[in-house]
């Protein structure tokens, strides 16, 4: 008759000769052996890698081999080893395991003890029958799994059994059978026929559906919060949807704590379960002050302020200020959620900039309004228009102003396995903007594409590539304001040159004017050395160009030092300008995420 067992039945075979030898060895140790610890080597043969790993995990003599074992403890562990080996191999379907063991004393005092275990697993048990039944109201549900995850003739692997069991239990939960029970679940091993029978009966119980969601909080309008609910009354009850609701509410940063309570006791006659959401408001204000340094702009001070909520409909305010020698910026973002509040919003954005780079000087003030949303493929699309005023000087010669309306549309996407220290990922941004007579004093249309791609090469190396392309259509370069021209050079462009010094030069002053076209690329190979430290080798190439002025193709190469931190890698690069008239090495320092 088969014997019931959750997974296996141990078979202990003890040979009198082995017991006699061990007893004699034990007596010898008691009489003559010193109390000092022994040195031990454990050898296991006859099993594959995964099986050996499990054997060693359960083999006490192996796990304690470095714990200063006294001889008496060593012998006791050796006696337990065969049973532990059989237990370790049962999950792989082996129930007729033979173990030949030996414990060899060292030839001299203080020598190496050797414990050997030669294993003959035998044939694994195979499944002779699978008795799988779905009972209760869900028995006729076509969405419920109709077959068990194991079949007749399969080897009885415990991992596969647990996976099949988990699949059915998860399916019951996802399909709304909240009270599903395993009426019978067992594995029967027949030691004579040497086969297994799986009996698995699941009683689904009644099916449940979502009812109304009510919010218990004192911050936002209930009608606004209903936008975060990913299901509707009458949908199948799925616990994963409740986790999604909790994640959405926490991710919006309105609340510091969100508790989801299914009110099972209030379920209706049609099994609709009301959901109560209990939420505690988050702190309204968040501040951040930062001090940093970048080769492009020098020392910098930054201040960020965020108001997490304004009013009952989830409006947000963000203020960003940056001060450095070459660039000063103040940006305000007022966000009004609409539609899908997680993905869809209107943005009102006043901005002010003052810049003083080797190529241009000036100020920009603008205010814009845009609609931002996530479209198919997780692309973010932004359509908007801004009114701007710019007063600028280029190459110490061209001085002008620009006042007008500039419509724009942009598409962007970032995908990364880790947003801070990325091993695999990419960033893409494409933008089109411009203006025309009637909206501004001059007409121009500008398109740009920026791509950065990171690919891991094994566990220790990364390939990082970057490309920035742009083109502006205008009657002449004079029609394009300084902030809309293209420049090259600097930490995130072509290393080996200062910030924005590359581009078409004025024939009189030999200073960079900026161009109507851009083509810049970079290739970098990075290798981890030890811990958080790494080295990189790179080359950057390209330039900004203009049809009316001359500009040469430039290229640099160099070496970099990397150090991973919680806020992103610290990058120190030494770049050699290969095409420069007076070539030399320039250092670049940058801190922050790669994407």
């Amino acid at each position: 008759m088969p014997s019931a067992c959750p997974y296996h039945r141990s078979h202990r075979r003890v040979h009198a000769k082995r017991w006699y030898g061990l007893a004699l060895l034990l007596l010898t140790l008691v009489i003559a052996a010193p109390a000092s610890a022994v040195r031990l080597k454990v050898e296991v043969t006859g099993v594959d890698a995964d099986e050996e790993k499990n054997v060693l995990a359960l083999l006490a003599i192996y796990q304690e081999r470095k714990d200063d074992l006294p001889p008496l403890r060593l012998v006791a562990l050796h006696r337990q080893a065969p049973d532990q080996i059989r237990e370790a191999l049962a999950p792989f379907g082996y129930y007729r395991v033979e173990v030949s063991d030996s414990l060899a004393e060292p030839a001299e005092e203080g020598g190496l003890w050797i414990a050997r275990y030669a294993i003959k697993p035998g044939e694994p048990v195979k499944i002779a029958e699978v008795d799988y039944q779905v009972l209760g109201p869900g028995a006729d549900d076509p969405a419920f799994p109709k077959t068990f995850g194991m079949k007749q003739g399969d080897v009885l692997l415990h991992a596969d059994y647990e996976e099949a069991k988990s699949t059915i239990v998860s399916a019951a939960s996802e399909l709304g059978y909240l009270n599903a029970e395993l009426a019978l679940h067992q594995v029967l091993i027949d030691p004579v026929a040497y086969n297994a029978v799986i009996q698995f009966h699941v009683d689904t119980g009644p099916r449940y559906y979502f009812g109304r969601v009510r919010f218990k909080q004192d911050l936002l309008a209930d009608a606004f919060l209903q936008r975060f609910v990913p299901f509707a009354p009458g949908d199948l009850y799925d616990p994963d949807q409740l986790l999604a609701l909790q994640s959405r509410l926490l991710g919006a940063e309105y609340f510091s704590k969100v508790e989801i309570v299914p009110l099972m006791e209030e379920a209706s006659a049609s099994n609709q379960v009301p959901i109560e959401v209990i939420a505690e408001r988050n702190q309204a204000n968040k501040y951040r002050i930062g001090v940093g340094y970048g080769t492009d702009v020098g020392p910098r001070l930054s201040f960020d302020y965020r108001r997490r909520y304004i009013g009952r409909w989830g409006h947000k305010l963000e203020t960003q200020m940056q001060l450095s020698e070459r660039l000063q910026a103040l940006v305000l973002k007022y966000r009004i959620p609409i539609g899908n509040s997680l993905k869809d919003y209107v943005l009102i954005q006043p901005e002010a900039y003052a810049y003083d780079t080797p190529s241009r000087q000036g100020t920009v003030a603008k205010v814009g309004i845009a609609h931002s949303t996530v479209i198919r493929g997780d692309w973010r699309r932004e359509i908007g228009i801004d009114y701007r005023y710019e007063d600028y000087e280029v190459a110490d010669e061209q001085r002008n102003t620009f006042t007008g309306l500039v419509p724009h549309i942009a598409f962007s996407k970032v995908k990364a396995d880790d947003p801070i220290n990325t091993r695999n990922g990419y960033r893409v941004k494409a933008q089109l903007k411009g203006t025309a007579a009637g909206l501004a004093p001059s007409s121009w249309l500008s398109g740009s594409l920026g791509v950065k791609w990171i690919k891991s090469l094994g566990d220790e190396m990364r390939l990082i590539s970057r490309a920035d392309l742009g083109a502006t259509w205008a009657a002449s370069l004079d029609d394009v304001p300084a902030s809309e021209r293209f420049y090259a050079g600097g930490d995130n462009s072509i290393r080996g040159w200062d910030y924005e010094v590359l581009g078409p030069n004025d024939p009189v002053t030999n200073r960079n004017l900026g161009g109507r076209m851009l083509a810049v690329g970079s290739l970098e190979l990075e290798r981890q050395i030890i811990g958080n430290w790494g080295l990189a080798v790179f080359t950057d190439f390209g330039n900004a160009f203009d049809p009316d002025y001359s500009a040469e193709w430039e290229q640099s190469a160099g070496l970099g030092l990397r150090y991973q931190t919680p806020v992103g890698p610290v990058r120190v690069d030494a770049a050699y300008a290969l095409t420069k008239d007076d070539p030399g090495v320039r250092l670049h320092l940058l801190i922050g995420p790669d994407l």
Side-chain angles (χ1 to χ4, degrees), residues 272-308:
Q272 288 197 3
V273 181
I275 305 298
E276 185 173 71
V277 179
I278 304 172
E280 297 180 7
R281 65 167 65 194
N282 208 346
Q283 291 184 356
N285 302 309
K286 181 179 180 180
Y287 306 88
R288 185 180 67 179
I289 298 176
V291 177
Y293 180 86
T295 318
D296 283 349
V297 298
R300 63 174 180 264
L301 174 68
S302 62
F303 173 76
D304 295 345
Y305 165 71
R306 295 175 62 189
R307 176 76 181 187
R308 290 188 170 103

Side-chain angles (χ1 to χ4, degrees), residues 139-308:
D140 298 325
D141 187 344
F144 206 93
K146 295 304 177 185
T147 60
F148 194 70
M150 304 178 78
K151 63 182 183 300
Q152 183 180 1
D154 288 350
V155 173
L156 181 61
L157 298 177
H158 295 178
D160 291 352
Y161 176 83
E162 289 298 331
E163 182 179 352
K165 175 182 174 182
S166 177
T167 298
I168 294 170
V169 171
S170 297
S173 177
E174 293 169 2
L175 294 171
Y177 299 103
L178 305 183
N179 297 332
E181 296 181 351
L182 300 181
L184 177 65
H185 58 108
Q186 62 182 2
V187 178
L188 304 177
I189 305 295
D190 188 333
V192 178
Y194 200 58
N195 58 30
V197 174
I198 294 177
Q199 295 180 333
F200 198 93
H201 301 174
V202 56
D203 187 343
T204 65
R207 198 174 201 178
Y208 288 87
Y209 304 86
F210 283 121
R212 293 288 301 173
V213 178
R214 60 181 186 241
F215 292 88
K216 190 175 180 180
Q217 50 85 40
D218 61 355
L219 179 62
L220 302 172
D222 282 1
F224 173 71
L225 291 175
Q226 289 291 341
R227 300 180 189 175
F228 291 85
V229 180
F231 52 83
D235 287 352
L236 287 178
Y237 189 103
D238 184 354
D240 288 343
Q241 295 284 54
L242 297 181
L243 292 176
L245 172 58
Q246 183 183 47
S247 177
R248 289 182 174 191
L249 291 172
L250 290 173
E253 294 190 327
Y254 297 122
F255 303 105
S256 61
K257 181 180 179 181
V258 175
E259 183 180 359
I260 310 292
V261 183
L263 303 175
M264 301 297 298
E265 67 280 1
E266 297 183 20
S268 67
S270 58
N271 290 335
Q272 288 197 3
V273 181
I275 305 298
E276 185 173 71
V277 179
I278 304 172
E280 297 180 7
R281 65 167 65 194
N282 208 346
Q283 291 184 356
N285 302 309
K286 181 179 180 180
Y287 306 88
R288 185 180 67 179
I289 298 176
V291 177
Y293 180 86
T295 318
D296 283 349
V297 298
R300 63 174 180 264
L301 174 68
S302 62
F303 173 76
D304 295 345
Y305 165 71
R306 295 175 62 189
R307 176 76 181 187
R308 290 188 170 103

Side-chain angles (χ1 to χ4, degrees), residues 413-427:
K413 184 176 182 179
V414 178
K415 187 174 182 180
D417 54 2
D418 184 332
I420 304 299
N421 291 300
T422 305
R423 295 286 302 163
N424 290 281
Y426 61 86
R427 178 194 67 212

Side-chain angles (χ1 to χ4, degrees), residues 440-491:
S442 59
S443 300
W444 50 269
L445 178 65
S446 178
S448 61
L449 174 66
V451 180
K452 190 171 185 179
W453 179 63
I454 301 175
K455 173 66 176 176
S456 64
L457 303 175
D459 295 332
E460 298 178 345
M461 299 183 69
R462 295 192 308 166
L463 177 64
I464 303 172
S465 57
R466 169 172 49 86
D468 294 288
L469 306 173
T472 300
W473 293 266
S476 72
L477 184 61
D478 293 341
D479 292 334
V480 185
S483 63
E484 297 298 336
R485 300 181 187 184
F486 295 111
Y487 306 85
D491 299 339

